[in-house]
Amino acid sequence: MNTHSTRRRIGAVTALAAAAAMVLASCSSGSGGGDGFADTAPEKLSGTLSLWHFFTDREAAAIESVVGDFEKANPDVKVQIHSGQDDEKLAKKLATGTDIDVAISGSTDSVGLFCASGSFRDLDPVIKRDGIDMSQFTDVAKSYTSFAGKQCALPMLADAYGLYYNTELLSAAGFTNPPKTLAELEDMALKLTTYNADGSIKTLGFNPLMGFYENQPVNYTGVIGGKWMSDDGTKSALDNQGWKDLATWQKGFIDKIGYDKLKAFTAGVGDEWSADNAFQTGQVAMNMDGEWRVAFIADQAPDLQYGTAPFPVPDGYQDIYGGGYTTGTIAGVARGSQHPDLAWALLKYLTTDTGAVVKLANGIKNVPTTKAALTSGDLTYPDQFKTFLDIAASPHLISVPATAIGHANQTTFQTFWEQWQSGQATDLDAGLAKADQDIDNALALSETPAG
C-alpha cells in the first residue's frame, strides 16, 4: 500500500496530540546559538544521524538514494534511516526519544502540533546563521511549514489536487475538453453516467460524495479559495459564502442522481490505492486526485487514456481557475537530537539542494517545493503531470493554516458535511456555525495548561 493512503486520510487527532504534548523541554541539547544550534556552522560534518520518515517501498528507496548522496559528499557522516513511521509513531518518538535527529512527516496538519509542543526545533536561528534564502520556496509551502511566527519545519515536496478525466469516455459522449466550471462538470457527469437495468449506477461521470477517495472538504479548498480560519488565526471561519456555494452545489448534484444510488455505487468499487481504483478501471469518468495518481496509472493501468486539468470552479469564481489545494511533506530537526547542527545540515540538503529536490521529486513523483526545482529541466514527468506543476506555480494555489489541534478542524467539518450530503442535516448556515463553535472550543482547550 502506498504511503499516500495513510497520508491523506483524516483520522482521530487524539493520539497524535497526546503524543506531541509529551515532549519534555529537558530533551533539548547542544550549546551556543539559538535553540541548541552552534553560533557558527561546523566546517566539517561527522557523526551518526537518525532519520525517521513515513515513506515505504519505491518512495523509501528514493529517500535512501538521496541520503546516500549526502553521505558520499560527507564521508564521515552515517545516516540511520527508519522508514514507514506514520505521524502517530513519529510523535511518540519525538516526545520520548533521543535517538531521532531529523523527522519527516507526510502531513502539514502536524506542523501546529509539532511546533506548539516543541517537538520540532525553531529553525530561524540557523536559517539566519547560514543565510538561507527563504524566497526559494513557493509562498504556500513556506507558509504551511511555519507556526506562530516561527519557521519550525521546511517543505520537502508537495501534493497538488486537480481533475483527472478519461479521454475515451469523454470523446464517446461528444466532449472534447475537460470542464472548467462546476456547472460544466455536473452537466458532463450526468451525461456520462449510465445505469443498469435495475436502475443502479453502472458507470459514473463524477462522484460528488464526500468520503469517496480524495473527496474531503480540505481537498476542495482550492475550488473556492476556501477560508478556514479568521485573519488573525484564532477562530474558525467556515461559515462563509464560499463553503456555502460549494456545499449547495454538491447537494443539488447528489439529489439529481440519488444519495442511496451513489452510496451503493461507492461501496461496490475497488480500493482507492489498488489497481481496481474506479477511475483506473473506467467506472468513473472524472475524478479529483493528487499528482501521485500519474505514477499509479503508469504502474497499474498503463493503457488508460486520460488527461489532467485544474479542478473546475463555481460560476463566479472563474478568476481563480488554474489554482488548487496543496499540502505536502514537512521535515524538522527533532527536539531530542543530540546532533542538531548535523541534523540541520541533512535537513538543509534534503529541502534546499536543487539536485536533491529534483531527484526526490522524480523518485517519489511529487511536486517540488523550491522554485529552482519546480522549473528544472531535469524533472522527468509524463505530460499529464505538467498540470500539477502549473497548479503549484499558480498565484491561486492555497493550503490550510496550521493549528495547534492538527487536523481536528478538518475532521469536524467533514463530519458535518457527510450529514449534510445525506440529508441528515438540513440547515447549512446552522451547521457551519456549529462546526465553527466546536472547532473554537477545541482550539481554546488546546491553550489550557494541563494540571
Side-chain angles (χ1 to χ4, degrees):
M1 183 173 67
N2 184 272
T3 57
H4 291 285
S5 60
T6 56
R7 180 175 174 178
R8 304 301 158 208
R9 284 291 162 260
I10 295 177
V13 75
T14 305
L16 179 57
M22 291 168 58
V23 174
L24 303 176
S26 59
C27 288
S28 179
S29 63
S31 61
D35 213 31
F37 297 107
D39 290 327
T40 58
E43 295 182 3
K44 184 178 181 181
L45 299 177
S46 64
T48 300
L49 279 178
S50 176
L51 169 66
W52 288 58
H53 68 77
F54 65 94
F55 292 107
T56 60
D57 304 325
R58 167 183 59 82
E59 297 176 328
I63 295 288
E64 290 180 9
S65 178
V66 175
V67 169
D69 293 339
F70 178 78
E71 290 176 321
K72 290 176 183 177
N74 301 279
D76 293 328
V77 174
K78 173 63 178 176
V79 181
Q80 298 174 340
I81 301 176
H82 302 265
S83 61
Q85 306 300 315
D86 63 30
D87 273 15
E88 185 176 335
K89 295 177 183 176
L90 185 60
K92 291 178 180 178
K93 189 63 179 176
L94 286 166
T96 61
T98 56
D99 60 337
I100 177 170
D101 296 290
V102 178
I104 298 175
S105 165
S107 174
T108 57
D109 302 325
S110 297
V111 170
L113 288 171
F114 290 159
C115 295
S117 67
S119 298
F120 279 2
R121 295 176 184 239
D122 179 9
L123 299 176
D124 284 323
V126 280
I127 289 173
K128 181 178 180 180
R129 184 194 74 184
D130 294 357
I132 302 300
D133 180 9
M134 293 300 291
S135 69
Q136 69 183 290
F137 298 108
T138 59
D139 291 341
V140 176
K142 185 169 60 177
S143 69
Y144 66 57
T145 49
S146 65
F147 180 75
K150 294 183 178 181
Q151 195 72 45
C152 48
L154 290 181
M156 197 197 83
L157 304 184
D159 296 323
Y161 285 80
L163 180 74
Y164 284 73
Y165 58 97
N166 186 311
T167 54
E168 288 187 315
L169 292 178
L170 263 66
S171 178
F175 299 113
T176 57
N177 296 302
K180 290 187 176 182
T181 68
L182 293 182
E184 292 173 353
L185 173 67
E186 180 179 326
D187 178 65
M188 292 170 65
L190 292 173
K191 293 176 181 176
L192 285 160
T193 299
T194 64
Y195 297 88
N196 296 307
D198 63 359
S200 61
I201 298 170
K202 182 178 182 180
T203 60
L204 189 58
F206 177 82
N207 193 338
L209 288 183
M210 290 295 177
F212 170 71
Y213 291 0
E214 293 302 306
N215 283 3
Q216 300 169 14
V218 65
N219 296 340
Y220 277 81
T221 302
V223 175
I224 54 168
K227 189 176 180 66
W228 284 80
M229 300 293 293
S230 60
D231 291 340
D232 63 5
T234 62
K235 299 288 185 180
S236 179
L238 299 173
D239 188 7
N240 63 71
Q241 193 59 47
W243 290 116
K244 292 176 184 178
D245 289 342
L246 185 61
T248 299
W249 166 79
Q250 185 242 13
K251 184 64 168 66
F253 185 5
I254 288 172
D255 290 346
K256 290 178 182 177
I257 297 177
Y259 175 77
D260 291 339
K261 287 184 179 181
L262 287 168
K263 286 290 287 185
F265 175 84
T266 299
V269 299
D271 180 79
E272 178 181 0
W273 306 101
S274 73
D276 292 328
N277 175 287
F279 178 76
Q280 294 177 181
T281 60
Q283 293 169 280
V284 172
M286 296 180 288
N287 196 37
M288 171 182 276
D289 215 333
E291 84 293 331
W292 64 82
R293 183 56 54 189
V294 172
F296 272 74
I297 292 172
D299 178 52
Q300 297 175 342
D303 295 329
L304 181 67
Q305 300 300 304
Y306 75 102
T308 58
F311 201 84
V313 297
D315 288 335
Y317 293 75
Q318 285 93 333
D319 60 326
I320 66 170
Y321 178 76
Y325 172 69
T326 185
T327 183
T329 301
I330 62 167
V333 174
R335 168 60 60 185
S337 172
Q338 301 298 298
H339 315 282
D341 286 291
L342 184 55
W344 163 245
L346 175 60
L347 174 60
K348 182 169 58 173
Y349 176 76
L350 293 174
T351 58
T352 68
D353 183 279
T354 300
V357 175
V358 168
K359 189 173 183 179
L360 285 169
N362 285 337
I364 297 177
K365 309 302 183 186
N366 286 164
V367 175
T369 40
T370 65
K371 296 172 184 176
L374 194 58
T375 57
S376 172
D378 293 328
L379 291 173
T380 56
Y381 291 140
D383 291 341
Q384 292 94 335
F385 201 98
K386 187 178 183 301
T387 293
F388 300 97
L389 298 179
D390 292 341
I391 291 171
S394 169
H396 304 299
L397 187 71
I398 193 171
S399 192
V400 175
T403 72
I405 59 173
H407 50 55
N409 57 339
Q410 299 172 31
T411 304
T412 297
F413 195 15
Q414 178 145 334
T415 297
F416 164 69
W417 204 308
E418 291 180 357
Q419 295 170 344
W420 163 254
Q421 68 184 10
S422 69
Q424 182 180 348
T426 58
D427 190 328
L428 181 57
D429 290 340
L432 291 174
K434 177 63 163 54
D436 278 337
Q437 186 60 60
D438 290 344
I439 294 166
D440 287 344
N441 291 340
L443 288 166
L445 187 61
S446 72
E447 297 174 355
T448 303

